[in-house]
Amino acid sequence: MENVAIFDSPGKGRGLKANKEFWAGDVIFAEASLSAVVFDSLAERICHSCFRRQDKLQRCGQCKFAHYCDRTCQRAGWAEHKQECSAIKTFGKAPNENIRLVARILWRLDKEGGVVSDMQLTTLEELEDHICDMQEDEMKEFKVDIHNFLDYWPRNSKQHTIDVISHIFGVINCNGFSVSDQRGLQAVGVGLFLNLCLVNHNCWPNCTVILNHGNQSAVNTMFHSQRRIELRALGKIEEGEELTVSYVDYLNLSEERQRHLKTQYFFECTCEHCKNKTKDDLKMAGREKDGVKPTEEQVKEASDYCYQMMDKIEKARLNGDYHEVVKLCRGCIEKAEPVLADTHIYLLRIYSTMSEVQSYLQYFEEAADYARKMVEGYVKLYHPNNAALGMAAMRAGVTHWQAGLIEVGHGMICKAYAILMVTHGPTHPITKDLDAMRVQTEMELRMFKENEYVYHSMREAALKNKPMTMMHEPKSVEEGIKDLFHRRK
C-alpha cells in the first residue's frame, strides 16, 4: 500500500491520498475482502465461492444452503463455509445476508486477529458504525438482526459483547460493498473491504472501483487468485491529491444525491458539483428548436408526466408485460420528446428501458435508435471515463450490430472498449468480451465496405442457420449496479 497514505481530509475525517502520480487506468491498489456473502434472493443461482452465475450448481450436502460451481469451488470456499455450515445445520435455516456476513467476519477475526493482512491500513474497530444516526424504523430492523444473530451464533464459538456485534452490523450497514457477478453487470452479494472504506466520496471522482473475481478455475486451489476490488484512476491524479470515488449514480439531481447520501451514508456532500448544482440544468432542460425554447410550465408538465409514467412502466416490466412496457414508453416519448432536451434524465431512463425491452423482443433497429439517443445524452452528463457510460456504449454497440448497422455498431463498441480499458482493465472478463466483439465487428466492417450486398447476404444466411437467441429479460435500474455500497432493503 505504498501508493497511498491516510490523512485527515477537511470536513470528511480520515481519507486516502496519492503518494505518487497516477494516470487513467492505473491500479492504485487492490484489496481482498475481509469476507463476502451471496444475497439471500440469489443463494441458489450464484456460486458461494467465486460469485459466478451458473445454470447448474452443486448444493452443499451438509447445510443444503451453500451452492458451488463444482468440487473445486467448494474446496476453495470451505475455509469460510466450514463454521457457517455447522451453524446453519444447528439453527435449522440460513439467516439473512447481513447476519451471515457478520458471522463470517467474526469467525475470521477470532481466528486471525484484527489485522488479517500486512496491506491493511485500518481495523474494523476504527471504522464508523453510525448507529446513533439511524432512524427509528432502521433501528427496529437493526435490533431484530442482532437478536436473530444471537440465536444463530454457535455456543461453541467465541462469545462477543452486544457492543462488538452491533458495531460490525453498523459498519456493514453503511460500508457493505456491492459484489457483482463475473461480468460486472449485476449486484449478487455484499462484502466488506476495509481499505476501501477509507476512500471518501465525490460526485465527480478521480477513481472508480471494480471487482476482479480472480481465478478459481484451476483444479488445484493453490493456483487460485483471490476475489478482490481494484481502485483504478479515471484520469491524471497528482501526488498528494485525495483519492475519491462516487458512492451514488451521478445521473440524479444534486438534491437527490444529497438526500441519498444523507440517508444511507450519514453525511452531506460538499463537492463542487453539489454546491454549484453542476449539470442540474441539463438534467431537467427543455428542448431548444430553431432558437425557440419551451416554457417552464411546459417542461414541468412533461417532466411530471414522465415521472408518473415511469412508475407504470416499472409495474408492467415487473409483471413481464413487455408489449405494455413498449406501448407506455412510446406514448411517453411521443408526448415528452418534443418538449424535453436529449439530456433530460427522465427521458434518458425511458430511452434506456425502451432500448432494452425492444432488444429483448428482437426489434433491433428501434432498440438501436433509442440506445444511440441514450448514449448521446450520457456523453453530455457523465465523466468521459464513467463505467456506466462505457456499459451503455457497449449495449448500444451490440444492439446496432444485431440490427445490421455495422458502422455505428463498431464505433460504439470501440468507444466502450476505450472506456472499459480504464475502468475495468484489460484482464476483466467484460473487457475481454468487448475486445473479441471489436475484432469481430472490425472484420465485418471491412467486408461491408468492400461489398454491402455480399455482407448482408452472408449475414442473412448466418442468421437463418443460427437464429438469434432471446436476450436476457430486462432489468430495472435498481437491479443493476448503480451505488457503490449496498444496503439491505
Side-chain angles (χ1 to χ4, degrees), residues 32-262:
S33 63
L34 181 62
S35 191
V37 295
V38 172
F39 288 152
D40 302 335
S41 58
L42 297 173
E44 296 180 4
R45 289 180 279 167
I46 301 294
C47 175
H48 288 221
S49 177
C50 70
F51 283 73
R52 283 168 166 79
R53 181 184 293 276
Q54 300 283 4
D55 292 331
K56 291 184 178 180
L57 293 170
Q58 297 179 10
R59 188 173 66 171
C60 174
Q62 297 296 314
C63 67
K64 315 294 186 188
F65 172 73
H67 287 71
Y68 301 97
C69 299
D70 49 33
R71 286 284 184 186
T72 302
C73 275
Q74 189 168 8
R75 283 196 296 269
W78 181 241
E80 274 196 295
H81 180 58
K82 183 179 180 180
Q83 288 171 291
E84 176 186 70
C85 185
S86 175
I88 291 173
K89 280 173 60 182
T90 304
F91 191 54
K93 63 178 181 179
N96 71 45
E97 60 223 23
N98 277 16
I99 294 173
R100 288 187 285 117
L101 183 55
V102 170
R104 281 191 168 201
I105 289 170
L106 278 173
W107 280 317
R108 184 170 184 189
L109 294 179
D110 289 346
K111 182 180 178 182
E112 301 179 35
V115 179
V116 298
S117 164
D118 55 6
M119 306 287 281
Q120 191 174 317
L121 295 174
T122 186
T123 63
L124 188 61
E125 290 76 17
E126 293 173 321
L127 296 176
E128 293 283 345
D129 56 31
H130 292 287
I131 294 173
C132 60
D133 297 316
M134 288 183 183
Q135 300 295 320
E136 186 178 347
D137 56 338
E138 287 181 301
M139 186 58 74
K140 285 181 181 178
E141 289 183 17
F142 189 75
K143 289 178 178 178
V144 169
D145 273 351
I146 292 173
H147 176 79
N148 290 337
F149 174 87
L150 293 172
D151 288 341
Y152 170 69
W153 187 250
R155 299 292 174 262
N156 59 350
S157 292
K158 180 181 176 181
Q159 300 302 302
H160 297 273
T161 64
I162 295 293
D163 287 344
V164 169
I165 297 166
S166 299
H167 176 71
I168 300 176
F169 270 105
V171 170
I172 288 171
N173 191 51
C174 53
N175 287 295
F177 180 80
S178 296
V179 176
S180 65
D181 59 8
Q182 69 269 35
R183 289 288 177 266
L185 299 176
Q186 184 184 5
V188 298
V190 57
L192 189 65
F193 298 81
L194 296 178
N195 293 341
L196 179 62
C197 296
L198 295 172
V199 183
N200 286 319
H201 163 82
N202 192 300
C203 292
W204 198 260
N206 55 18
C207 296
T208 189
V209 182
I210 193 67
L211 184 78
N212 188 320
H213 280 262
N215 170 36
Q216 289 91 18
S217 60
V219 174
N220 191 331
T221 55
M222 71 176 289
F223 296 115
H224 289 191
S225 57
Q226 288 180 305
R227 176 182 60 250
R228 62 194 183 278
I229 56 97
E230 292 174 352
L231 186 73
R232 306 180 71 93
L234 290 177
K236 185 180 179 183
I237 298 175
E238 301 287 352
E239 182 179 348
E241 187 178 342
E242 181 173 11
L243 304 172
T244 57
V245 293
S246 182
Y247 292 2
V248 295
D249 184 23
Y250 184 69
L251 211 67
N252 285 304
L253 297 174
S254 53
E255 186 179 332
E256 292 171 3
R257 296 198 307 272
Q258 288 274 19
R259 184 165 54 249
H260 192 159
L261 291 166
K262 185 69 175 175

Side-chain angles (χ1 to χ4, degrees), residues 445-457:
L445 182 58
R446 281 200 303 269
M447 187 188 302
F448 173 81
K449 288 180 176 179
E450 288 171 6
N451 192 317
E452 285 188 42
Y453 176 76
V454 171
Y455 167 74
H456 285 296
S457 297

Side-chain angles (χ1 to χ4, degrees), residues 409-447:
H410 178 66
M412 287 281 191
I413 285 170
C414 287
K415 179 179 182 64
Y417 181 70
I419 295 172
L420 266 63
M421 278 291 285
V422 172
T423 60
H424 290 61
T427 62
H428 195 280
I430 204 161
T431 315
K432 290 181 177 179
D433 286 351
L434 257 180
D435 193 27
M437 278 188 262
R438 184 175 61 89
V439 172
Q440 172 74 16
T441 54
E442 185 177 358
M443 180 184 69
E444 291 187 20
L445 182 58
R446 281 200 303 269
M447 187 188 302

